[in-house]
Amino acid sequence: MATSDNMNIGINVTGNANQELLKIEKNVAKVTAAFSGLKQAIAGLALGSFLSSAIKFADTMQDLSNATGIATNSIIGLGKAFQQNGGDTEAARQAIIKLTMSIGDAADGGKVAQVAFQKVGVTLQDLQTLSEEDILGKTIQGLAKISDVSIRTKTAVELLGKGAKGIDFTGVAAGYVQASAEAKKYNDAIKSAADLNDKLEDAVGKIKLSLLQALQPAVDFFSTIVEEGNNAKMIADGLAIAMAAIAAASIIKSISVLIDTFKGLAVLLGLTT
């Protein structure tokens, strides 16, 4: 009899234990699935953010190229050369902007700029006939040839701005040409991405203007409330309009986020060419 009772107890205990284990396994599976979904969502957001950042980078490069007359591959090449020789891409960007200003200053008769260009082998004739990109190349090579470090630094700052201080232009001259040549394959992709960014920003701008137009009744309504005093029915109607406007604004924001993501996906999939 005792043996039978012990067996029943053992079966009950084993059965309960199995049920608890099954519950634990199910809970673990649910948690794992939840974390898997979360990881995928985070990965998707990270990818969208990264691609959006890449699109904005391309747009910035293309805008700088359009403003200065220097090809995007040369801008990227100078940035890489600066990074490898004591500077960074922002210093390179500022150097390009300053160089175009120095070219204009020298062309207008600025003696300081003219003398500085002469030190790097860029003549007045060069300033009148060469492109900004060619002048950039000659300036970099000329700076590398100045043996006196103090004169080289002074000249670099005069032509390229304060960000040029501390840059090893011997190293920049050695790496700039190759880095620019290697980046040339990205020119078309950068232009396509920049064009897409401009078109999408224009589209988003039009949507926002349309939203403002749609919100005008709400704005006019609340202006009437302020002018004529509070009225219960008017307030209720106004709240309904406001809620609809908020919903519309939320939709527009969601569309903007999706557009940022699709910007990157379009370039990644080659849909912009």
Side-chain angles (χ1 to χ4, degrees), residues 146-204:
I146 298 176
S147 57
D148 190 303
V149 176
S150 61
I151 294 177
R152 183 198 305 159
T153 300
K154 182 175 182 293
T155 305
V157 170
E158 288 173 345
L159 295 177
L160 304 177
K162 294 180 180 179
K165 186 180 294 185
I167 303 293
D168 176 13
F169 280 95
T170 302
V172 171
Y176 167 68
V177 175
Q178 182 178 351
S180 298
E182 290 175 351
K184 202 165 188 177
K185 59 187 177 184
Y186 302 119
N187 281 1
D188 290 341
I190 288 173
K191 187 177 186 308
S192 295
D195 288 344
L196 175 63
N197 182 77
D198 291 341
K199 290 176 182 177
L200 289 174
E201 284 188 349
D202 181 60
V204 171

Side-chain angles (χ1 to χ4, degrees), residues 205-220 245:
K206 289 178 179 177
I207 291 172
K208 289 179 178 178
L209 289 173
S210 297
L211 176 61
L212 289 174
Q213 190 175 28
L215 289 175
Q216 184 178 354
V219 174
D220 292 343

Side-chain angles (χ1 to χ4, degrees), residues 46-245:
L47 177 61
S49 177
F50 176 78
L51 293 176
S52 178
S53 176
I55 292 292
K56 290 177 181 177
F57 167 80
D59 189 54
T60 299
M61 290 297 101
Q62 190 62 49
D63 286 346
L64 182 60
S65 176
N66 294 341
T68 61
I70 296 173
T72 52
N73 64 291
S74 296
I75 296 172
I76 294 172
L78 186 64
K80 184 176 181 180
F82 265 43
Q83 281 182 312
Q84 295 174 343
N85 293 279
D88 54 34
T89 55
E90 178 58 22
R93 190 180 75 85
Q94 292 296 333
I96 289 172
I97 294 172
K98 172 60 177 174
L99 177 68
T100 58
M101 293 174 64
S102 297
I103 292 172
D105 188 22
D108 290 339
K111 295 301 180 183
V112 173
Q114 288 180 355
V115 171
F117 275 120
Q118 288 174 3
K119 289 178 182 177
V120 296
V122 176
T123 66
L124 292 177
Q125 182 68 21
D126 290 335
L127 293 171
Q128 294 173 358
T129 58
L130 296 181
S131 67
E132 288 84 356
E133 188 163 350
D134 289 337
I135 293 173
L136 172 63
K138 287 197 70 171
T139 298
I140 291 171
Q141 296 299 325
L143 286 169
K145 293 176 182 178
I146 298 176
S147 57
D148 190 303
V149 176
S150 61
I151 294 177
R152 183 198 305 159
T153 300
K154 182 175 182 293
T155 305
V157 170
E158 288 173 345
L159 295 177
L160 304 177
K162 294 180 180 179
K165 186 180 294 185
I167 303 293
D168 176 13
F169 280 95
T170 302
V172 171
Y176 167 68
V177 175
Q178 182 178 351
S180 298
E182 290 175 351
K184 202 165 188 177
K185 59 187 177 184
Y186 302 119
N187 281 1
D188 290 341
I190 288 173
K191 187 177 186 308
S192 295
D195 288 344
L196 175 63
N197 182 77
D198 291 341
K199 290 176 182 177
L200 289 174
E201 284 188 349
D202 181 60
V204 171
K206 289 178 179 177
I207 291 172
K208 289 179 178 178
L209 289 173
S210 297
L211 176 61
L212 289 174
Q213 190 175 28
L215 289 175
Q216 184 178 354
V219 174
D220 292 343
F221 187 88
F222 282 109
S223 295
T224 301
I225 291 176
V226 172
E227 291 174 1
E228 299 182 3
N230 294 332
N231 180 284
K233 185 178 183 304
M234 291 177 67
I235 292 175
D237 292 341
L239 288 174
I241 295 174
M243 289 177 68

